[in-house]
Amino acid sequence: PEAITVQELAKRMGEKGADLVKALFNMDMMVTVNQTIDQDTAELLVEEFGHTIQRVSDSDVDIQKEVDSDPVETMRPRPPVVTIMGHVDHGKTSLLDALRGTDVVRGEAGGITQHIGSYQVTTKGGDKITFLDTPGHAAFTEMRQRGANVTDIVVLVVAADDGIMPQTIEAIKHTQAAGVPMIVAINKIDKPEANAQKIRERLLEHDVMVEAMSGDVQDVEISAKNKTNLDGLLDKIALQAELLELQARPDRPAEAIVIEAQLDKGRGPVATVLITRGTLKKGDNFVVGTESGKVRAIVDDQGKQIKEAGPSMPVEVLGLGGVPDAGEQLTVVENEQRAREVAQYRREKATETRTALAPTNFDAMFSSMK
Ligand code: GTP
Ligand code: MG
């Protein structure tokens, strides 16, 4: 039994409250504009005034998010997504620079990472690995959490001269909460004061038991600076990825997760997304949160425009109607009209849930009349 006030109903119908009260009086119902009427009475009134009722439910308008898993025979292996986490200055970005042969650190303000970087690396064996670089600074908890939640594997970077620090512990907690396997990379072993064994021992206090301590968490000693043992780390990532048997269906409309998004001066709203399944193509219509869009360009991690992007690829998407929130899902739909319809519906729902007075059933029922 849903209820709505006469006033609210009148507002939605674009009629005067007094006219509704009059009509109700003729139907032998004595109510004032501030009183509520039930759903059946509301429907009668709507028809009486010559409006058509269009019942809409979430499942009619919004995208079905049910367990529409892809058939096994359509699944193909996909690259692992690996998030690098750890305390500030422990060498996360340096490690990725060493792996990619780049120098991102030099371009960072104060050498501090302030956003999530996303890159794809091809190993000597030809396998691809997607890396997400997260900030270690205390202020960026939310980004670390997001990083842990979209990833298959976490590489925890701990500087051997500094040891377990507050954001090391925080990263461990995010990883454990996300239920993601971890590999510990003990970095800066080139430093004379490096003490890798102490780190292994201290990790026990945080329920991280590395293999050397007879646990099952892999650990590896590296130096990002001297590029020591990076292949060893890549091997351990490959081993862990193999155990996970990561798969996704490539030949279907794409779904992706927004890693971050911003308004770019020249290019408009830009979202960095990670493809979770399907293949994203230029010209695809999509909805992401309460925004719709049409893929105008896909840019890879080298800044190169590409025609399409498959599972586990991190890419920039241009052609959004607005800036979506990080963590939101991007879903490709049949056509432009559908994309707009879903985005519009979600926007209305978002405002409606803020209107405490309005019961959801009525919201859905009359949303098409606006
Ligand atoms: P945030 O992103 O701000 O959390 O820092 P980060 O973890 O990305 O650290 P970054 O890569 O910026 O490195 C911090 C400092 O440590 C830089 O001065 C690096 O040159 C130095 N560094 C990184 N790796 C090594 C290493 O293996 N050995 C030595 N000696 N120095 C290193
Ligand atoms: Mg960094």
Side-chain angles (χ1 to χ4, degrees), residues 87-94 105 108 111-113 134-137 187-188 190-191 223-225:
H87 194 74
V88 69
D89 274 352
H90 278 202
K92 300 175 290 297
T93 306
S94 300
V105 170
E108 291 181 328
I112 298 266
T113 302
T134 63
H137 191 278
N187 190 32
K188 308 198 187 185
D190 57 283
K191 289 208 165 185
S223 164
K225 188 184 167 199

Side-chain angles (χ1 to χ4, degrees), residues 84-228:
I84 314 286
M85 298 179 83
H87 194 74
V88 69
D89 274 352
H90 278 202
K92 300 175 290 297
T93 306
S94 300
L95 168 59
L96 279 176
D97 276 341
L99 288 170
R100 298 166 60 226
T102 52
D103 197 354
V104 172
V105 170
R106 194 192 296 267
E108 291 181 328
I112 298 266
T113 302
Q114 309 201 30
H115 74 120
I116 300 183
S118 46
Y119 315 96
Q120 207 163 50
V121 167
T122 307
T123 64
K124 283 181 194 135
D127 295 323
K128 288 195 161 91
I129 303 172
T130 297
F131 283 105
L132 300 182
D133 183 18
T134 63
H137 191 278
F140 304 109
T141 295
E142 200 263 326
M143 282 192 214
R144 282 187 290 274
Q145 198 165 16
R146 209 185 311 146
N149 283 331
V150 298
T151 201
D152 300 309
I153 298 165
V154 165
V155 168
L156 181 73
V157 173
V158 188
D161 59 335
D162 204 23
I164 313 287
M165 297 300 280
Q167 271 60 56
T168 314
I169 298 167
E170 194 203 297
I172 291 170
K173 285 186 179 147
H174 290 313
T175 308
Q176 288 167 340
V180 173
M182 179 193 289
I183 297 169
V184 179
I186 301 173
N187 190 32
K188 308 198 187 185
I189 50 147
D190 57 283
K191 289 208 165 185
E193 63 271 44
N195 189 344
Q197 190 51 29
K198 192 173 150 209
I199 289 170
R200 293 191 189 95
E201 283 163 18
R202 290 279 320 279
L203 281 171
L204 291 173
E205 294 162 28
H206 305 282
D207 294 323
V208 179
M209 206 184 277
V210 298
E211 284 171 340
M213 305 298 286
S214 30
D216 55 8
V217 174
Q218 302 189 87
D219 72 289
V220 54
E221 290 180 27
I222 59 165
S223 164
K225 188 184 167 199
N226 297 346
K227 302 201 179 196
T228 309

Side-chain angles (χ1 to χ4, degrees), residues 304-324:
K304 219 173 60 208
Q305 284 215 23
I306 52 175
K307 285 205 185 76
E308 53 178 55
S312 295
M313 264 189 90
V315 288
E316 279 186 337
V317 178
L318 278 68
L320 296 110
V323 181

Side-chain angles (χ1 to χ4, degrees), residues 266-320:
R267 303 184 296 170
V270 179
T272 304
V273 305
L274 184 69
I275 312 288
T276 48
R277 61 173 169 172
T279 298
L280 187 69
K281 301 185 171 110
K282 240 174 117 165
D284 275 350
N285 289 286
F286 62 85
V287 42
V288 51
T290 55
E291 304 292 344
S292 62
K294 189 188 182 86
V295 179
R296 201 172 74 228
I298 305 173
V299 182
D300 72 6
D301 61 345
Q302 319 267 353
K304 219 173 60 208
Q305 284 215 23
I306 52 175
K307 285 205 185 76
E308 53 178 55
S312 295
M313 264 189 90
V315 288
E316 279 186 337
V317 178
L318 278 68
L320 296 110

